[in-house]
Amino acid sequence: MTQPKLSVKTSTAIRRSPGDVAFNTLNYLFFGIFTLLCVFPFYYLFINTISDNQASSLGDVMFYPVGVHFNNYVEVLKIRGIGRAALLSVGRTVIGTSLMVLASAACGYLFTKEKMWMRKFWYRFIVVTMYFNAGIIPWYLTMNALHLTNNFLAYILPSIVSPYNIILVKTFVESVPASLEESAQLDGAGYGTILVHIIIPLIQPILATIAIFGAVSQWNAFTDTLFLMSDADYFTLQFLLYRYLNEAASLAALLKSDPRLMSTLDIAHMQTPESVRMTVSMVVVLPILFVYPFFQRYFVQGIMIGAVKG
Amino acid sequence: MTAKPAAIAVRKRAGLPDKYKLFLMALPFLLLVLVFSYGPLFGWSYAFFDYRPGIPLTSENFVGLKWFATLFSSPVQRAEVVRVMTNTIAMSLLNIACSVLPVAFAVFLNEVRVPWYKKSVQVLTTLPNFISWVLVYSFAYALFNTNNGFLNQLLIRLGLQDRPINFLADPDHIWLKMCLWNVWKTLGWSSIMYLAAISGIDQTLYEAAKIDGAGRFQIMWHITVPGILETYFVLLLLSIANFISNGMEQYFVFQNAMNRNRIEVLDLYVYNIGLGGGSFSYATAVSILKSIVSLTLLFVANNLSRLVRGNTIL
């Protein structure tokens, strides 16, 4: 155990009594165990996707990989519809997030302009929508009337204006010194020019924060596909994964019917419903794992701003 | 509104006053809000008709308050309402009870003095917050299924159990299980806000307490905890406002034929009877009642906040 060693460091600050040592040990142990619980499911799925599929389906892969191969990741890309679903997921994340960030920047800036006609009313018109929700049936009927069922635009349009993000950006813009804007105005710059050339470069930290949160929620979105899309052409990766998890029979049939998946492979590398589920899960989670370390600092910033607004 | 095209044409020239120029720039966003946030409110009218997809609303299928009455019409229906509300309230109460966990998590993590250990715990426990509920269910399936799930294999191999337990279909303790998954997913993330509040506490308070000879627990209890109580209180009030809106995503992905009766919360019930079962009008009526109760709770929480803190949360 490394615990006693760790508490030596703290002993300079706080008197070290037996009670302190016991407390530290338990405290470090608790956080260690909880952290393991948070990480283990990711690890468990990963080792199963790179293991011998036969061993995996018998439950033999528990703590370390067995018979390592990467065939699952090659095979899973051959499943019908998965390439398209991945493209839709990436598309909605990139396009939806970009438009949401631009709209938040524009609105956040425009609503700081006291000159705007009925500014307070329009600002409240947007903000108040955070507090009510018509319910999913009226929402579905509206989307249906707008022909946004089985339509890619349904993933983009409703999320462009985000009241919460507009509040965050507006608060940030208000902290930008007014003198910067005034000198540009004297040079004859219009509102659009000022927004693009002065405001947006200055508020990049907050835009990065809302971009990350927006991208994660677009990537993870699942219920809008469930409500609005009946045509498999519009299924996203998250929705396909849900189908694979719940419709074991159709997944097994899919595997059997697809000759590309069943050709030439020995039993250790042959796709099983379990291997497909776990591999698709890893494909869905990998983008998040890759970007996660880089975006750390924005998380804390994002939630702190949220806490201040509270 | 007829002047609009002309106004847009003029916008390019310098002639238009700034106040309209600014408004026209915001107009596209206002229209999006109008369509996607206010538009669905008109759909509430469906609750007063016997709506069938494809048939327009006319005076012939106007039914008045029939669907609202249906909710309480028969003993079977009343039992259904009681069942759904029990699930909803039970899950909300459990989640509110668990809302002290992030506070405790932050207070105790603050006692971890080794920077790399503290940082690693924070980074790794936040990770589950960024995956979807579908993925959480995929984890749950991989770990707890009866064929080759991790836990069943472990129990059988250790000789603690001779046959697999169907953890996912078992309706027993489903409320607690849902609450635990929620804790697993959100504990690390929710604690970040409290850790931020702790880092904002005046350091001289700690120095003074040490000089006065306060012990470690006394410092935690009398300085750290009061420093984050304000943040906790605001979040607690917001959870009161959301008391009957616990969302459907988590419960939807975990629901199956065996556990449906115990897992069906209000939001999921509206989905199941509406889009799932095709009773659009009845589901809308339930949605309206839910919205009224939710708004009332929001005002109650807001007024409570004004009374206790002298500050509103809205």
Side-chain angles (χ1 to χ4, degrees):
Chain A
M1 292 302 280
T2 51
Q3 309 312 335
K5 237 196 234 164
L6 295 178
S7 60
V8 172
K9 264 189 183 171
T10 65
S11 66
T12 49
I14 294 170
R15 254 177 299 122
R16 191 174 129 211
S17 63
D20 246 358
V21 174
F23 171 79
N24 272 338
T25 311
L26 282 177
N27 207 26
Y28 280 86
L29 206 61
F30 164 76
F31 282 110
I33 291 170
F34 186 72
T35 305
L36 271 183
L37 282 180
C38 284
V39 178
F40 184 73
F42 294 87
Y43 173 75
Y44 179 75
L45 246 68
F46 180 67
I47 57 170
N48 270 280
T49 57
I50 60 167
S51 291
D52 180 319
N53 288 353
Q54 199 58 30
S56 171
S57 63
L58 289 172
D60 287 339
V61 183
M62 297 180 80
F63 297 104
Y64 47 87
V66 176
V68 174
H69 72 107
F70 296 95
N71 201 40
N72 288 341
Y73 287 89
V74 179
E75 292 299 308
V76 83
L77 296 176
K78 295 181 188 163
I79 295 176
R80 218 179 303 116
I82 223 160
R84 193 185 165 89
L87 203 64
L88 283 177
S89 284
V90 172
R92 70 175 293 176
T93 305
V94 172
I95 302 170
T97 309
S98 312
L99 290 177
M100 182 277 289
V101 170
L102 286 177
S104 305
C107 290
Y109 169 65
L110 291 171
F111 285 114
T112 59
K113 299 282 133 227
E114 282 172 19
K115 276 190 206 158
M116 185 198 286
W117 178 59
M118 292 173 66
R119 179 186 74 112
K120 276 204 169 136
F121 175 80
W122 297 123
Y123 183 57
R124 284 190 191 137
F125 180 78
I126 292 183
V127 169
V128 80
T129 59
M130 286 201 295
Y131 301 109
F132 70 82
N133 183 343
I136 56 164
I137 306 296
W139 187 72
Y140 166 78
L141 292 170
T142 306
M143 296 297 275
N144 199 24
L146 294 166
H147 301 287
L148 287 174
T149 46
N150 290 324
N151 185 337
F152 179 70
L153 288 175
Y155 291 140
I156 307 291
L157 295 178
S159 59
I160 290 180
V161 178
S162 155
Y164 183 70
N165 290 341
I166 290 174
I167 296 176
L168 290 185
V169 174
K170 180 169 172 277
T171 317
F172 207 94
V173 173
E174 279 162 355
S175 69
V176 170
S179 57
L180 287 170
E181 207 185 322
E182 280 159 12
S183 62
Q185 252 167 347
L186 289 177
D187 293 341
Y191 291 113
T193 319
I194 292 175
L195 173 65
V196 173
H197 292 289
I198 296 182
I199 301 297
I200 289 186
L202 285 172
I203 59 171
Q204 267 173 11
I206 190 69
L207 295 186
T209 308
I210 62 171
I212 291 152
F213 284 90
V216 169
S217 75
Q218 280 280 11
W219 181 259
N220 283 343
F222 154 76
T223 46
D224 49 6
T225 314
L226 175 74
F227 297 156
L228 301 172
M229 312 299 174
S230 52
D231 184 340
D233 278 353
Y234 297 96
F235 289 173
T236 57
L237 274 184
Q238 299 279 352
F239 193 73
L240 272 193
L241 175 60
Y242 174 76
R243 297 268 300 231
Y244 291 162
L245 286 166
N246 270 277
E247 293 159 26
S250 73
L251 182 56
L254 178 84
L255 292 176
K256 275 206 190 92
S257 70
D258 199 330
R260 286 176 306 175
L261 294 172
M262 300 301 282
S263 62
T264 67
L265 291 168
D266 55 294
I267 195 152
H269 296 167
M270 190 138 64
Q271 296 298 296
T272 64
E274 284 88 4
S275 76
V276 171
R277 281 181 190 133
M278 294 201 229
T279 312
V280 174
S281 300
M282 283 319 289
V283 169
V284 167
V285 82
L286 279 175
I288 299 225
L289 291 182
F290 279 131
V291 298
Y292 189 69
F294 302 104
F295 292 156
Q296 276 301 315
R297 60 204 179 99
Y298 295 113
F299 292 166
V300 179
Q301 188 187 21
I303 203 160
M304 275 167 80
I305 295 163
V308 172
K309 278 311 286 180
Chain B
M1 288 308 270
T2 49
K4 210 180 69 185
I8 289 169
V10 188
R11 190 161 61 123
K12 295 278 178 237
R13 282 187 263 138
L16 191 74
D18 272 9
K19 61 177 195 171
Y20 297 121
K21 215 189 264 180
L22 284 162
F23 169 69
L24 284 175
M25 287 172 84
L27 187 61
F29 307 111
L30 293 170
L31 286 175
L32 280 173
V33 174
L34 181 71
V35 170
F36 292 110
S37 296
Y38 291 89
L41 289 180
F42 295 101
W44 276 8
S45 53
Y46 288 93
F48 305 96
F49 292 86
D50 189 4
Y51 174 73
R52 301 274 151 75
I55 300 169
L57 303 183
T58 60
S59 57
E60 271 151 54
N61 49 28
F62 180 79
V63 293
L65 294 174
K66 177 187 153 191
W67 299 113
F68 295 91
T70 305
L71 256 176
F72 309 101
S73 59
S74 64
V76 177
Q77 193 60 44
R78 279 194 292 271
E80 191 80 344
V81 171
V82 168
R83 175 179 69 81
V84 170
M85 287 318 291
T86 311
N87 292 339
T88 308
I89 291 168
M91 303 244 198
S92 287
L93 283 178
L94 276 174
N95 284 334
I96 286 177
C98 289
S99 70
V100 295
L101 292 179
V103 177
F105 191 92
V107 170
F108 283 96
L109 188 58
N110 190 49
E111 295 300 313
V112 171
R113 310 281 180 195
V114 182
W116 69 264
Y117 196 84
K118 189 174 173 180
K119 180 81 186 154
S120 313
V121 168
Q122 216 180 328
V123 168
L124 295 173
T125 55
T126 309
L127 188 53
N129 187 58
F130 291 91
I131 62 170
S132 63
W133 277 112
V134 179
L135 213 57
V136 174
Y137 179 68
S138 177
F139 286 173
Y141 186 85
L143 293 169
F144 300 114
N145 78 58
T146 47
N147 288 333
N148 58 0
F150 174 81
L151 189 59
N152 276 317
Q153 290 298 323
L154 192 68
L155 290 177
I156 290 169
R157 282 165 204 215
L158 290 177
L160 297 171
Q161 195 79 35
D162 351 311
R163 63 176 67 178
I165 307 169
N166 198 345
F167 295 102
L168 294 166
D170 186 1
D172 289 344
H173 316 296
I174 192 77
W175 297 340
L176 191 63
K177 283 183 220 160
M178 287 300 102
C179 178
L180 287 176
W181 276 114
N182 199 39
V183 167
W184 178 79
K185 193 170 187 292
T186 60
L187 182 55
W189 172 250
S190 313
S191 71
I192 288 185
M193 195 171 323
Y194 297 116
L195 284 165
I198 289 175
S199 68
I201 296 175
D202 189 354
Q203 285 304 310
T204 55
L205 287 175
Y206 286 101
E207 307 288 330
K210 262 181 230 161
I211 290 166
D212 289 346
R216 190 171 189 172
F217 292 102
Q218 284 174 309
I219 291 177
M220 282 163 73
W221 184 249
H222 292 289
I223 297 177
T224 312
V225 171
I228 57 180
L229 223 52
E230 164 94 6
T231 310
Y232 174 68
F233 192 70
V234 172
L235 295 176
L236 187 68
L237 284 173
L238 282 175
S239 64
I240 292 175
N242 287 324
F243 196 70
I244 59 167
S245 321
N246 18 29
M248 65 163 271
E249 204 167 340
Q250 177 188 1
Y251 310 105
F252 178 80
V253 294
F254 275 93
Q255 96 175 328
N256 54 48
M258 305 273 284
N259 66 19
R260 178 160 301 161
N261 281 339
R262 307 291 295 278
I263 206 172
E264 211 171 35
V265 295
L266 194 50
D267 285 323
L268 182 56
Y269 178 68
V270 169
Y271 169 81
N272 283 344
I273 55 171
L275 286 176
S279 311
F280 283 57
S281 294
Y282 174 57
T284 309
V286 178
S287 279
I288 292 176
L289 289 178
K290 200 202 116 184
S291 294
I292 293 169
V293 175
S294 289
L295 266 182
T296 314
L297 287 173
L298 183 65
F299 282 113
V300 167
N302 200 36
N303 281 326
L304 258 178
S305 169
R306 191 187 330 214
L307 276 176
V308 182
R309 301 164 57 227
N311 213 338
T312 57
I313 49 173
L314 295 189

